[in-house]
Amino acid sequence: MRLSRYFLPVLKENPADAQIVSHRYMLRAGMIRQQAAGIYSWLPLGFRVLKRIEEIVHQEQVRAGHIPLLMPTLQPADLWRESGRYDDYGQEMLRIKDRHERDMLYGPTNEEMITDIFRSHVSSYKDLPLTLYHIQWKFRDELRPRFGVMRGREFLMKDGYNFDIDKEAALHAYNRHMVSYLRTYERMGLTAIPMRAASGPIGGDNTHEFLVLANTGESEVFYDDRVTALKLGSREIDYDDRGQVAEVCKEFTTLYARTDETHDEAAFGQIPEAHRKVGRGIEVGQIFYFSTKYSEPMGAVVVNDKGERVPVHMGSHGIGVSRLLGAIIEASHDDKGIIWPEGVTPFPVGIVNLKQGDSAADAACEGLYKALKARGLEALYDDRDERAGAKFATMDLIGLPWRITVGPRGLSNGVVELTSRRTGESEEMSPEAAVDRVAQIYEGR
Ligand code: 5CA
């Protein structure tokens, strides 16, 4: 993408109403625009990151054996009357009447609708286990929408629902979600710690939230800091292997890590003092096992292998897709701007032409741009007629992890400069070597 032809409305000034750094940078980098409290347009740069995050979420869900579908944003109220949640949900639910005076709502979550789909099409244990998920916009009329996409009213969520024959099978689905989430967050450059939590309006006793540690997080967290060193890494997971999946979950949930809702001062006190930490975290996901809470009242029943009709065991599992942009920026930035992890960056690399109009510099930039494209990498090429300082400031603000700087002086020695946004370190090399290096960094992503 050539910056001269892109739509990147960066702001020079800090927006006055943005209280936390991720919100400030998302506005300044021209990623989002607020249209109403907690409701945003996704401008091209923000949209690219959102799509990238969605893609990683999809890939890891499919890897775990979960099946994508798409349910609508608007739902009939009658489904929610069946589960009893129409009245329970309160003012967070946006209620709408259509022209025939039928009660509708903008879905805050989809347990009822997915249960309806299931009961209409599945009747035998032979069709289980089944996990269906979608990535769809939700609406919750939050009392205090704030911090940009972090607590929106309209927000993008991945929500998945498992249907299993018994508790044991459903707990395997729960564990499978936990492991697939760990991998999902790691691919985004995040450390998200599973913490014992409270289930709120979704219900059930088994629930974990995934928290990214950040001072600006809304949740108070209590943990043994050795939990932050745990990594899933590139180990092979067989998602059908109950034992292996359960082992991984055990590894990640044995050390103390809880939100304030489930905090236990006595258990916390057992942690050696040097490892005992109180902090704040951003909740980027939550998983639930709630047994037959929805399947019983809604009649999601299958015939088991003994010929008996039994309600299925269910759980639901959510990832805050749009919130993740904020969480990643909170975890990865400096005073100049965002520092995108390679996994989610809107463009893999930026090209800065220090002297637009200089024939050698222009030709070298064009050559780099095309060579990168041939390797499957779309660079953001700053081909505007601007001062070098302004170009660097824009690149630093929007946070591409790598920058290739091209100027007449370097070119006279046959070199360009490759700079890491994270370390600030630069290295001179031939344009071909720079392309190779960047291609290597992104290999397999
Ligand atoms: N049905 C379940 C799981 S699918 C559910 O709705 N879970 S949830 O309420 O925990 O939401 C899932 C995730 O969505 C949260 O962990 C959080 O990351 C994200 N989320 C929730 N509310 C908001 C909001 N107002 N703005 C942005 N993201 C949100």
Side-chain angles (χ1 to χ4, degrees):
M1 180 55 65
R2 290 162 209 276
L3 197 43
S4 63
R5 296 187 203 162
Y6 200 41
F7 181 63
L8 184 70
V10 298
L11 307 179
K12 296 233 157 37
E13 305 298 324
N14 260 330
D17 54 338
Q19 298 162 33
I20 62 170
V21 68
S22 57
H23 189 195
R24 258 195 317 272
Y25 283 155
M26 286 185 80
L27 291 168
R28 279 194 52 207
M31 296 176 66
I32 51 170
R33 170 163 180 80
Q34 183 175 308
Q35 307 292 175
I39 300 179
Y40 292 87
S41 288
W42 293 81
L43 305 182
L45 192 76
F47 188 54
R48 280 185 85 100
V49 181
L50 188 69
K51 285 283 148 191
R52 187 68 204 126
I53 290 176
E54 247 187 82
E55 185 56 32
I56 292 175
V57 171
H58 267 304
Q59 286 173 359
E60 295 308 323
Q61 286 311 296
V62 169
R63 201 193 303 278
H66 306 157
I67 304 170
L69 49 46
L70 185 60
M71 292 175 271
T73 52
L74 295 185
Q75 307 188 14
D78 281 346
L79 273 182
W80 289 67
R81 292 196 174 103
E82 284 188 55
S83 72
R85 280 208 298 182
Y86 190 62
D87 295 326
D88 291 356
Y89 226 93
Q91 290 195 302
E92 255 189 37
M93 181 183 276
L94 181 63
R95 296 157 206 257
I96 306 160
K97 269 194 201 301
D98 71 10
R99 65 195 299 165
H100 305 294
E101 294 288 308
R102 278 188 288 248
D103 292 326
M104 310 284 290
L105 56 99
Y106 193 134
T109 175
N110 283 57
E111 279 81 6
E112 284 76 0
M113 188 168 277
I114 199 81
T115 306
D116 176 62
I117 292 173
F118 180 88
R119 71 180 171 189
S120 310
H121 300 285
V122 181
S123 55
S124 163
Y125 74 97
K126 290 181 188 150
D127 296 322
L128 305 182
L130 182 65
T131 294
L132 301 167
Y133 77 93
H134 71 165
I135 298 180
Q136 177 62 292
W137 294 93
K138 303 288 184 291
F139 196 96
R140 292 182 185 173
D141 206 350
E142 301 273 354
L143 186 59
R144 264 181 235 95
R146 56 179 185 163
F147 302 159
V149 300
M150 210 74 105
R151 182 163 294 281
R153 292 198 294 166
E154 190 186 45
F155 60 97
L156 191 59
M157 192 203 286
K158 170 261 157 185
D159 40 325
Y161 305 86
N162 68 285
F163 301 91
D164 286 279
I165 192 68
D166 55 23
K167 180 172 181 181
E168 208 191 352
L171 287 176
H172 173 55
Y174 184 89
N175 290 345
R176 228 172 36 231
H177 279 89
M178 183 178 289
V179 177
S180 70
Y181 280 22
L182 291 170
R183 177 144 286 159
T184 302
Y185 299 126
E186 280 189 18
R187 282 187 62 189
M188 297 175 189
L190 285 176
T191 302
I193 304 164
M195 300 200 181
R196 281 262 292 276
S199 67
I202 309 289
D205 296 329
N206 284 61
T207 180
H208 280 88
E209 286 179 359
F210 290 78
L211 285 115
V212 172
L213 297 176
N215 296 333
T216 48
E218 291 187 291
S219 318
E220 191 173 24
V221 295
F222 302 81
Y223 60 101
D224 180 325
D225 70 355
R226 288 170 288 189
V227 78
T228 60
L230 299 175
K231 292 274 175 294
L232 195 59
S234 58
R235 65 180 103 163
E236 283 277 322
I237 306 284
D238 175 355
Y239 281 104
D240 290 328
D241 183 339
R242 287 191 186 185
Q244 187 199 16
V245 171
E247 258 322 293
V248 176
C249 292
K250 195 165 155 210
E251 180 185 334
F252 280 81
T253 54
T254 299
L255 288 167
Y256 189 93
R258 295 195 190 186
T259 64
D260 50 1
E261 293 164 334
T262 56
H263 179 55
D264 171 353
E265 206 44 56
F268 189 57
Q270 304 286 308
I271 306 170
E273 203 178 337
H275 293 296
R276 212 181 299 152
K277 293 276 154 39
V278 182
R280 304 201 68 81
I282 303 166
E283 180 204 323
V284 292
Q286 186 163 6
I287 55 178
F288 304 83
Y289 162 62
F290 42 68
S291 180
T292 57
K293 169 171 174 176
Y294 299 89
S295 57
E296 264 193 45
M298 294 187 67
V301 172
V302 295
V303 174
N304 69 13
D305 58 357
K306 298 185 193 74
E308 302 152 346
R309 289 167 54 79
V310 291
V312 289
H313 286 249
M314 292 174 59
S316 71
H317 315 275
I319 292 183
V321 174
S322 48
R323 176 180 286 184
L324 272 166
L325 277 93
I328 294 168
I329 297 172
E330 289 298 324
S332 185
H333 67 268
D334 63 14
D335 56 6
K336 294 191 202 125
I338 303 165
I339 306 174
W340 290 116
E342 273 96 359
V344 298
T345 184
F347 295 94
V349 55
I351 302 173
V352 168
N353 188 342
L354 291 178
K355 199 157 187 205
Q356 202 69 39
D358 175 275
S359 59
D362 290 1
C365 288
E366 287 296 326
L368 279 166
Y369 185 70
K370 289 194 178 120
L372 287 161
K373 197 159 221 168
R375 307 283 283 265
L377 298 166
E378 185 175 10
L380 182 65
Y381 170 23
D382 192 344
D383 60 342
R384 298 169 307 162
D385 193 11
E386 280 273 1
R387 291 178 302 109
K391 291 188 174 186
F392 289 146
T394 301
M395 283 292 173
D396 285 344
L397 173 64
I398 68 172
L400 309 185
W402 298 94
R403 185 186 80 207
I404 303 176
T405 310
V406 181
R409 198 178 317 149
L411 285 176
S412 65
N413 297 320
V415 295
V416 297
E417 203 178 62
L418 180 65
T419 307
S420 155
R421 173 70 181 84
R422 190 169 295 280
T423 66
E425 280 163 22
S426 291
E427 214 183 308
E428 291 191 333
M429 59 187 81
S430 70
E432 296 76 29
V435 171
D436 278 344
R437 180 76 71 80
V438 175
Q440 245 166 41
I441 291 165
Y442 285 96
E443 214 169 314
R445 282 187 188 275

